[in-house]
Each structure stands twice: as C-alpha cells, then as structure tokens.
Amino acid sequence: MELLAWLEGTWPAAFVRETPWVYSLLEIVHLLGLALLVGPAALFDLRLLGAGRETISVSAAARRLLPVARAGFATAAVSGVAMFVAGAREIAGTGAAPVKLALLGVAGMNVALFQLGVYRRVAEWDGDRHPPAAARAAGAVSLTTWVGVVAAGRLIAYT
C-alpha cells in the first residue's frame, strides 16, 4: 500500500486527478488504444484459427495487423498507467483489477511463447490450410484473454 500511496503522490498522478478533462481524455485514448489493439489482434487470432485461410497467409496477416496491434497496446498501456497512478489505491482495491493484471500477464506470455515458438517456423506451415495446433491454441488463448482484459477493465468501475 505504501507504493500505491507514493504513486498517487507523484506529480503525474496529481496532474491527471486535478486538471479538468485529463482523466476523461485518458479514458478516450485508452479506449482508442484498446480498439487498435484488440481489433487487429482478434483478426489475426481468427486467422490462426483458420478463418480467411483461402484469402491471406498467416505471415501476410501478421505484417498487416500486428504493427497496428502493437501501437494500440502502447497507447492503451501508457494511458492505462496514467489513469492507474491517479487513483492507485482505489483501483487496486477493486475485485476486477487483479484479474485484469493477471490476464495481461497471460496475454504477454502467450505472445512471447507464440513468437519464440511456433511462429519462428511460420515459413514451414504458412501455406497449409490449417495452422499447427500450437498456433491455433495461441490464437484461442489470445482471443479469450483479450476479451477478458476488456471485460475486467470495464468492471473496475463497478467492483
């Protein structure tokens, strides 16, 4: 709790709390970041699960979609941290915040395992009608996890 109190006492936290419209603008930026993250990520995950296999390869989908998802993640992360520090103790005390953080951890591990694992050999299976089971599993975990992150984030206001 001391760390959370310290975070709330920093000048960025005070700026977010005390300057009119800043928190509201951060919420808008956060939602836009989530849209830029979750939309392309969901499309890529669906491609891993087999959707669009006649239309676009997994590597082409990755080249087009994942840079947008990364930019969305950066936007959502920066705005999310800024909102968190403004009310760290209250937010940390909600029932949904630990769930959201845990799901973010799962999402991060899933991305790392996918990138360091099955995606390193994408050239071997990119033209196959069905991606390997590990790629499909990564897509399913990602899709499920990001839905959970969004839901838990929204529930922070109500728990």
Side-chain angles (χ1 to χ4, degrees), residues 1-158:
M1 285 304 259
E2 286 182 34
L3 174 62
L4 299 176
W6 177 82
L7 283 172
E8 286 182 357
T10 63
W11 73 264
F15 177 78
V16 169
R17 261 192 327 273
E18 297 166 8
T19 307
W21 297 100
V22 170
Y23 195 90
S24 296
L25 290 172
L26 282 170
E27 285 182 316
I28 293 166
V29 170
H30 194 67
L31 288 173
L32 291 173
L34 285 172
L36 290 173
L37 163 62
V38 176
L43 291 173
F44 184 72
D45 295 339
L46 290 170
R47 177 58 192 93
L48 289 177
L49 292 169
R53 63 181 164 262
E54 307 290 330
T55 308
I56 190 167
S57 68
V58 170
S59 58
R63 278 193 310 276
R64 289 174 174 87
L65 296 169
L66 297 185
V68 177
R70 287 184 199 105
F73 177 80
T75 302
V78 170
S79 58
V81 167
M83 289 188 300
F84 176 77
V85 300
R89 289 178 287 186
E90 182 180 350
I91 293 169
T94 67
V99 173
K100 181 177 180 176
L101 289 175
L103 288 170
L104 283 168
V106 170
M109 286 188 291
N110 186 55
V111 167
L113 291 172
F114 175 74
Q115 291 288 333
L116 297 172
V118 68
Y119 193 70
R120 285 188 176 230
R121 298 180 313 281
V122 69
E124 298 171 14
W125 53 267
D126 204 13
D128 294 348
R129 291 184 58 80
H130 297 287
R136 292 192 311 269
V141 168
S142 175
L143 199 56
T144 304
T145 304
W146 286 116
V147 168
V149 167
V150 171
R154 190 64 204 118
L155 289 171
I156 287 174
Y158 301 104

